């Protein structure tokens, strides 16, 4: 199993998936970490610089913020680096991204755990809890 963690500092889980700068990707086999890597992540700051910030323009979709053509394109760019993962962890995420992960068969988990090591252990031992109230 591969777990992607949205982060800025490689130690703590980002409170906002879309703004996180990178991913820490942990590979787990038989309950043990066998590989850890850092992957680049497209993010909202980069989209703003490129003039592609669609997350705050929701007139094109009745579901609201985080949906619509531009947002879906941006999400695909964010997801591309972790399309081989089964789980993604963040401490907050927009509805559009959350549903986009489900469409890709990647399980998004919104956790209240800040520390990456503790959260990964909670995934491995099955004690992690998803907090959908952290959707925005």
């Amino acid at each position: 199993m591969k777990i992607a963690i949205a982060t800025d500092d490689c130690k703590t889980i980002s409170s906002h998936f879309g703004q996180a700068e990178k991913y820490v990707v942990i590979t787990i086999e038989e309950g043990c970490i066998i590989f850890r890597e850092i992957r680049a992540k497209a993010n909202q700051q980069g989209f703003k610089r490129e003039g592609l910030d669609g997350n705050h323009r929701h007139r094109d979709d009745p579901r609201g913020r985080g949906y619509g053509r531009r947002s879906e394109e941006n999400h695909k760019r964010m997801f591309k680096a972790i399309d081989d993962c089964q789980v993604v962890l963040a401490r907050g995420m927009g509805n559009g991204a959350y549903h986009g992960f489900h469409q890709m068969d990647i399980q998004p988990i919104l956790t209240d755990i800040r520390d990456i090591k503790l959260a990964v252990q909670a995934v491995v031992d099955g004690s992690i809890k998803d907090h959908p109230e952290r959707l925005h």
Side-chain angles (χ1 to χ4, degrees), residues 66-133:
Y67 291 96
R69 183 186 55 79
R70 180 64 54 83
S71 292
E72 288 172 10
E73 290 170 6
N74 289 348
H75 290 149
K76 285 179 185 176
R77 289 177 62 191
M78 285 189 255
F79 300 168
K80 185 175 180 165
I82 58 168
D83 62 3
D84 61 332
C85 296
Q86 291 74 47
V87 174
V88 62
L89 302 178
R91 289 188 303 119
M93 182 179 297
N95 283 305
Y98 190 81
H99 291 104
F101 277 121
H102 281 291
Q103 290 175 338
M104 291 183 61
D105 291 324
I106 297 175
Q107 179 187 6
I109 298 175
L110 301 176
T111 182
D112 58 357
I113 303 170
R114 292 179 55 91
D115 183 86
I116 287 175
K117 290 179 185 177
L118 294 175
V120 168
Q121 185 58 48
V123 171
V124 170
D125 67 25
S127 66
I128 198 156
K129 291 181 175 40
D130 187 25
H131 290 273
E133 70 274 10

Side-chain angles (χ1 to χ4, degrees), residues 12-73:
T12 58
I13 300 172
S14 177
S15 62
H16 191 292
F17 169 79
Q19 294 177 5
E21 295 179 5
K22 56 192 141 214
Y23 297 109
V24 171
V25 176
I26 308 285
T27 303
I28 307 289
E29 284 187 12
E30 297 180 15
C32 297
I33 296 172
I34 62 162
F35 192 67
R36 182 181 193 271
E37 63 184 302
I38 313 248
R39 296 184 188 176
K41 179 188 167 295
N43 63 35
Q44 287 178 349
Q45 292 84 354
F47 299 147
K48 285 178 186 175
R49 284 190 299 272
E50 296 173 26
L52 300 173
D53 182 27
N55 290 329
H56 300 288
R57 296 185 195 120
H58 53 272
R59 285 182 231 128
D60 63 336
D61 194 290
R63 294 171 290 179
R65 182 177 167 181
Y67 291 96
R69 183 186 55 79
R70 180 64 54 83
S71 292
E72 288 172 10
E73 290 170 6

